[in-house]
Amino acid sequence: MKQSAFPLALLFAARVHSLSPTLRLPSRAALKVGSQVAAGQYGRIHLAEWDGVPAVAKRPYAALAADAALAGEYFNVEREVNEAIQRSSPETEHFPRFLGCASSGGDEWLVWERLAGCCLGGEGEAASELARYSGSGAKLEADHGLSPRAALRQLLECAAALHRLGYVHRDIKLENCLLASTAASATSSSAPPSSVKLIDMGSAAFVDGCTLLDRARSRCTSLDPDRSPCSPLYAPPEQFASPDFPFAFDVYCLGISYLRLSLSCLKSDSQLEAFRIELSSLAGGELDRWVRAKLTGTAVDPTLANELSDALPADSLPLLAAMLREDPARRPTIDSLLEHPFLRAGAGSDAAGPAPRPAWLSRLLGGGGEDECEVLPFYDSVERPLAVRVRLRPP
């Protein structure tokens, strides 16, 4: 199982800056590798220069000889996905700009543009992992002009862009989400809000156009039914991408990511682990039952009650509960989620803020039952295969 990724986000720029679409990519010999700035279980990241362009470069690495093949596999999958992104839309707003592959010092490297202003975690940094704001949605909005609701919408758009290329990410988590802003947005409240970019594609699997039989026999890129490269704290109960509904895997991860970003009670790994256990064993995997258990009874935590009221405005609870359904076939499609009123509101300004106590919460605490989420198209109704060979239609 793949372990938590190293902080790739710290390696990308603080200030949004794009190369010209007509930039001539240099030869493989043009890469100059500098000092190492981050390390993970299966890779090493260095500052670099690509034909004079500031960059970051990644090479495969394994501390144990037995893991060398696995490190190479993750490296190759990440290269494949980034090359697909580069061919499809090199100027995409959803991912860091991939420059290409190169050889240097006897190693193979993947190279991304290092945007101007990167300070690698120093004071005043305007680009960071979304994980820095776990349980601190208010601070995220203060620092980046981005509410958790708007961040979720952007993450759904990132996942949808990847799905359209035929890949399911399988490791979406706050640590793999990069916040990028203009230099002005780091110091001015009137600057545009930060944008979210999805990174670390080594766990992705290609499923679009791959037959059900091939998926079952592990003949699709990185889709191995005997190995799950995901992060268990974020992964859905199935742990492995469903051959029938693989894109639903990422929907669950995004639901967990939103909750962790919004609730301080889920800030640490141990708190998130406890929540996942409670959600499964005490609430049967149903988020509304977990909320009811926390807010009714003899020992209600008023701080948690207020936090849930702020973090789950309007009709968000039924929506999130649908994203966290244990059955992947019943999770909403990303298309339907993006059209939901809660997330459509997140596309604009959140200046008005949530109501002090959403109607659904008042009814829940009063024993009247929660609001019903509007009927959302889900994967079973959209992607149910009609034949052995099927081309899935990702959201």
Side-chain angles (χ1 to χ4, degrees):
M1 179 179 291
K2 186 179 179 183
Q3 302 300 313
S4 296
F6 44 83
L8 280 175
L10 297 182
L11 309 175
F12 294 97
R15 182 161 56 86
V16 171
H17 167 75
S18 295
L19 297 174
S20 165
T22 59
L23 176 71
R24 177 185 62 83
L25 293 182
S27 67
R28 293 168 68 87
L31 178 67
K32 296 179 181 179
V33 179
S35 59
Q36 179 179 310
V37 291
Q41 185 176 5
Y42 297 114
R44 293 290 185 263
I45 292 284
H46 291 245
L47 295 178
E49 205 174 87
W50 177 275
D51 200 24
V53 175
V56 292
K58 177 181 180 179
R59 64 182 174 88
Y61 171 84
L64 302 176
D67 290 335
L70 195 56
E73 178 185 337
Y74 286 129
F75 181 87
N76 288 333
V77 170
E78 185 152 20
R79 174 171 57 189
E80 175 185 320
V81 177
N82 277 278
E83 286 177 342
I85 293 170
Q86 185 187 54
R87 289 192 302 270
S88 172
S89 180
E91 296 298 322
T92 179
E93 61 182 306
H94 302 299
F95 315 99
R97 181 178 172 84
F98 182 61
L99 298 180
C101 309
S103 296
S104 179
D107 290 311
E108 291 293 314
W109 300 83
L110 302 179
V111 187
W112 293 268
E113 179 185 6
R114 174 164 50 96
L115 305 178
C118 178
C119 36
L120 300 175
E123 291 296 322
E125 182 186 25
S128 63
E129 292 175 353
L130 202 52
R132 289 182 57 186
Y133 294 93
S134 293
S136 304
K139 181 171 174 55
L140 171 67
E141 190 157 12
D143 290 354
H144 292 274
L146 193 69
S147 69
R149 173 169 52 181
L152 175 59
R153 180 178 178 85
Q154 288 195 30
L155 283 173
L156 285 162
E157 292 170 343
C158 290
L162 189 62
H163 293 179
R164 284 192 292 271
L165 296 176
Y167 293 92
V168 54
H169 190 284
R170 295 195 300 175
D171 200 20
I172 295 179
K173 55 187 176 182
L174 299 185
E175 291 81 356
N176 285 340
C177 302
L178 169 69
L179 280 166
S181 60
T182 64
S185 66
T187 57
S188 172
S189 59
S190 61
S194 297
S195 61
V196 181
K197 297 181 185 291
L198 188 59
I199 62 174
D200 198 359
M201 308 296 176
S203 297
F206 184 78
V207 294
D208 193 19
C210 188
T211 69
L212 294 177
L213 184 60
D214 284 344
R215 285 181 225 149
R217 294 179 175 177
S218 306
R219 292 176 179 170
C220 312
T221 298
S222 196
L223 190 64
D224 187 341
D226 297 321
R227 178 163 54 87
S228 175
C230 64
S231 297
L233 289 178
Y234 288 83
E238 63 265 26
Q239 291 287 306
F240 306 91
S242 163
D244 288 342
F245 312 105
F247 300 111
F249 191 103
D250 288 346
V251 170
Y252 192 100
C253 296
L254 288 164
I256 293 293
S257 296
Y258 174 83
L259 289 176
R260 189 171 199 186
L261 186 63
S262 304
L263 299 175
S264 62
C265 62
L266 305 182
K267 183 174 183 178
S268 70
D269 285 353
S270 59
Q271 288 173 317
L272 183 57
E273 182 178 11
F275 164 74
R276 294 299 305 272
I277 293 172
E278 289 180 352
L279 183 64
S280 175
S281 61
L282 301 181
E286 298 180 14
L287 183 62
D288 56 335
R289 288 179 58 186
W290 179 82
V291 172
R292 185 183 295 110
K294 288 295 182 181
L295 300 185
T296 57
T298 58
V300 176
D301 182 347
T303 301
L304 177 60
N306 291 332
E307 185 176 47
L308 286 171
S309 176
D310 290 339
L312 303 176
D315 51 0
S316 63
L317 177 66
L319 178 71
L320 291 164
M323 294 177 70
L324 298 183
R325 285 171 180 153
E326 292 193 336
D327 182 359
R330 306 294 294 179
R331 292 174 203 146
T333 64
I334 288 183
D335 271 351
S336 65
L337 289 168
L338 289 172
E339 289 301 313
H340 192 273
F342 171 65
L343 288 171
R344 292 187 68 178
S349 171
D350 287 327
R357 171 166 285 187
W360 69 259
L361 184 55
S362 296
R363 281 192 289 274
L364 183 65
L365 297 180
E370 69 280 4
D371 284 346
E372 288 296 328
C373 184
E374 67 174 271
V375 177
L376 294 172
F378 45 86
Y379 282 97
D380 188 31
S381 64
V382 174
E383 295 181 347
R384 172 62 68 184
L386 300 177
V388 172
R389 184 171 185 86
V390 57
R391 179 177 176 83
L392 297 180
R393 295 181 177 226

